[in-house]
Amino acid sequence: MTQTTASTCCYCGVGCGVLIEHDGEKILGVQGDPAHPANFGKLCSKGSTLHLTGDLDARGLYPELRLGKGLARARTDWDGALEHAANQFAATIREHGPDSVAFYISGQLLTEDYYAFNKLARALVGTNNIDSNSRLCMSSAVVGYKRSLGADAPPCSYEDIEQTDCLLIAGSNMAYAHPILFRRLEAAKAQRPAMKIIVVDPRRTDTAELADLHLAILPGTDVALFHGLLHLLLWEGWIDPHFIEAHTQGFAELKTLVRDYTPASVAAMCGIAQDDLLRAAEWIGKAPSFLSLWCMGLNQSTAGSAKNSALINLHLATGQIGKPGAGPFSLTGQPNAMGGRETGSLSNLLPGHREAANPEHRGEVAGYWGVDSLPETPGLTAIELFEAVRDGRIKALWIACTNPAQSLPDQTRVREALAACPFVVVQEAFFTTETCAYADLLLPAASWGEKDGTVTNSERRISHVRRAVPAPAEARADWAITCDFARRLERQLRPGMPSLFDFDGPQAVFAEFVPLTASRDLDYSGLSHALLDAQGPQQWPFPTGARQGTPRLYADGRFPTADGRARFIAEAYRAPKERREQRYPLTLNTGRLRDQWHGMSRTGTAARLFGHVEEALLSLNPDDLRLRGLHDGDLARVHSRRGSLVVPVQADSNLRAGQAYLPMHWGDRFLKGLGTNVLTLPAFDPLSKQPELKHAGIDVEKVELPWQFFALVEGDVQQRFTALRPLFESFAYASLSLTGRERPAVLIKAASAEPPDAELLTRIDVLLGVDQGPVLAYDDPRRAVGKRVRIEQGRIVSLRLAGETAARDWLKNLWSEGKADSELRRWLLAPLSTPPGSASTAKAGKTLCNCLNVSEGAVCAGIARGLDLDGLKRELKCGTSCGSCVPEIKRLLAQQPVAIPA
Ligand SMILES: Nc1nc2c(c(=O)[nH]1)N[C@H]1C(S)=C(S)[C@@H](COP(=O)(O)OP(=O)(O)OC[C@H]3O[C@@H](n4cnc5c(=O)[nH]c(N)nc54)[C@H](O)[C@@H]3O)O[C@H]1N2
Ligand SMILES: Nc1nc2c(c(=O)[nH]1)N[C@H]1C(S)=C(S)[C@@H](COP(=O)(O)OP(=O)(O)OC[C@H]3O[C@@H](n4cnc5c(=O)[nH]c(N)nc54)[C@H](O)[C@@H]3O)O[C@H]1N2
Ligand code: SF4
Ligand SMILES: [Mo]
């Protein structure tokens, strides 16, 4: 019988409520939860396909242990696994001290998981070496809020986005990264067109498409822009002297600094028109309410802290904070980035928004936990931590719920670190990730739909994440793994003492944690799992005795600083670390795609999520392509100071000349090489220690790889993928992904300078199922050209082109249409490689609307027939379900007349 469990989406920080449909064993479907205040029933393209992800063939099912470097891992049981881990950690700590071990965790853990890890590191091991992937994500926002406003608290609510008169979106592509919030914004803008939207992004994104003004600033110049805006606000008298006088400190110094940021100099530094700068200042200065949203375009920078504070300065100068439709509102990336900050799970923090460097704070937490003291030595932050692993200072590393061998910058060094580390534990839901390869101990974790706990979304709202089905095989919930390990380690490090980890469930972990927030800015000591179940998701603060949460902070103009005043921060503009220079004349920007999530461990299991973008493509301005003799689709070598990668290029006039864009999602699994982050730099912001993932100096050159390969094979996609991937190591270029909807298939494109040896090709053919059976084949060994198609029940089920791949798009279309006609047979048995004359050689084109399977070609044809957005929705049904494709359809409509991809 089908049951429904209310839970939350495991992807982004919007924190949408989902209703999981299941039969107690298997998840069958998902719907948006109409009662959840983040999404009111809506889901985006990722949330609405959650039930299609998580192929068991990709999941971790049993613990696996490697007993020595170079050996293979073997299946073990939990007892053996965790005893071994406890022995290794205890021995390392005894011999080399507590700071010789480290924990690297994740904003995708639940608050309870986070709390357990933090207590383990601080109270039991006695180290501050616990950091999370939030260091790559939110740490600049943490610094920005704390030093400008006194506490790490986004002061706004989602309603403010709907209510504001002027919205500044800086370095956020919320159309892709926070789609349901973007839907809410689109609806508000449609209802109240007078609301002004300004988007600051070097690229023309789908988000920029909704803006009244797009400021395509040069990468990294945000601080100059914000200071330039303040200069104009001052000049025009569009500030709030009363607010500045009554509630702030430090304005005089900032005023002196921004004097130099004249409109002419700022326009030149940022590469924008002076008129646009003036218009932005006027809209901000005259708006009854002014709100700003930002994300990684500000945070992931060597000036990330300065960018955050310079933006908050604008709100303080105009008094635009603490009232409806106003305030500086940082969008959080991961579903529980906030929970990590609340539980103090960054190396410099402690639970309840405390500081690890503050002796009083350490004393409070130590007292609460009943331990003598907490460690004083500052902990290492993500980049520093992996550097310490590499040079041998860290000898045992525990990684949970993050994939550093894909997501950290400068992969060559990260891989060296992981390979050198004597003992690496990886606690993972999917055993397919790049990091798993380095695990000496691999622990299977329960994942979305299988675990219970809480998360806090971008608007400080805490939701109860509920379990719908049991975890597969022996996978266990993270908090339980952590506490089980901790109890075993306790027996070695504090024998005979009462356990610090005696929890009988996640609600007990939560109950122990919340008193640590009491009397702190975030106080949610009034919350429990039971209260969340009775009253629904709540926004903190929610102190003991409160009846409801707090939608907006600082309404009274009092800030959580010693004197109650907010601080203006005066820091000059600093250029990104890698400026354009002769050898690396392009700036590489990296970020998200609409339908993929980070390293794609989950989204990469759903073939349809590759429908929008099928492979890694480096986007460049058409002029930069021309300059290098490159055409759309050509393979090119991209290199930075740290490494290089071969990928196809794509012309994109949404980028200005001198800039390149490569999605962050590709690691070593879906693309040969070490992925996007082989190119990026580990330089970080001096205060937040957040690395500059958005600006790396690169160059691009054409590569000649005349021997080309293309294959597609249906069925058992995870198993085939895993078996096939290693066979492509020797190719200069190889891209593996999934394709199809009802019949998922593995799709492979590869290229090399010379044909591979025949034996390798045979091994590939065996895995593709085109070595024998109902296979039509034509081989020309002289030219090293060959084509094979396997046909079952009149349909292509597998195909492979070697040497030359001119017919690949034609064949892929035949496969997806389920055709295997006489024309195909004739072509196959003839030496021709190009498709038959009558056949269309065109690409099927990308799927714009993933919910209803509508291609870009169909939308363009509809536009050519004169359909507008409503007409397209009516006739093709595109954009009528989750709405994630609507911005792109609007963009096509705006580009009329369109070229129709046939
Ligand atoms: N589909 C999808 N959604 C996601 C995620 C995902 O993997 N996939 N991940 C989630 C996570 S963890 C995060 S942190 C968020 C990230 O959400 P976003 O930050 O919105 O996403 P990004 O694409 O990383 O970067 C946003 C924009 O910053 C711009 N940018 C680059 N450099 C600069 C600059 O110097 N100044 C300015 N103003 N802009 C710049 C880029 O061009 C890009 O369009 O997304 C969350 N949501
Ligand atoms: N070039 C470039 N690099 C970037 C960025 C960028 O913009 N550009 N963005 C950075 C940012 S903002 C972020 S947040 C990081 C994200 O980087 P990662 O944290 O590496 O991203 P994920 O792939 O989401 O890793 C989460 C892992 O946890 C596993 N998992 C899922 N659910 C569970 C669970 O319940 N328990 C356990 N134990 N495991 C689980 C998943 O399978 C996955 O492998 O990437 C950063 N890297
Ligand atoms: S916007 Fe999409 S990805 Fe983000 S929480 Fe909602 S459904 Fe999930
Ligand atoms: Mo993130």
Side-chain angles (χ1 to χ4, degrees), residues 108 133 136-137 296 300 334 400-404 407 427-430 433 445-447 451 478 590-592 597-601 664 676-677 680 693-694:
Q108 293 168 66
N133 60 2
L136 316 178
C137 185
M296 292 308 117
Q300 287 173 340
Q334 298 175 93
C401 200
T402 175
N403 182 16
S407 54
Q427 183 170 323
E428 239 301 335
F430 292 81
T433 73
S447 182
K451 50 192 291 197
D478 289 290
T590 64
R592 272 90 191 146
W597 179 262
H598 300 160
M600 306 193 284
S601 60
M664 64 159 296
T676 304
N677 280 319
T680 52
L693 289 161
K694 293 271 184 272

Side-chain angles (χ1 to χ4, degrees), residues 348-356 361 364-365 516-518 520:
N348 52 313
L349 304 180
L350 288 177
H353 283 176
R354 289 178 175 83
E355 300 292 324
H361 287 179
E364 286 165 13
V365 178
L516 278 167
T517 67
R520 306 285 308 163

Side-chain angles (χ1 to χ4, degrees), residues 9 11-16 42-44 46-48 177-181:
C9 175
Y11 296 122
C12 82
V14 177
C16 296
K42 286 198 165 70
L43 292 177
C44 76
K46 292 180 301 299
S48 62
H178 298 89
I180 292 303
L181 271 190

Side-chain angles (χ1 to χ4, degrees), residues 95-119:
E95 197 172 332
H96 304 284
D99 291 329
S100 65
V101 307
F103 300 87
Y104 183 58
I105 58 177
S106 165
Q108 293 168 66
L109 288 170
L110 307 182
T111 296
E112 294 74 5
D113 305 330
Y114 250 135
Y115 180 76
F117 265 117
N118 204 13
K119 193 175 182 189

Side-chain angles (χ1 to χ4, degrees), residues 495-520:
M497 306 273 278
S499 176
L500 299 169
F501 298 89
D502 219 351
F503 301 107
D504 61 3
Q507 70 294 335
V509 182
F510 191 76
E512 180 178 300
F513 165 56
V514 292
L516 278 167
T517 67
S519 314
R520 306 285 308 163

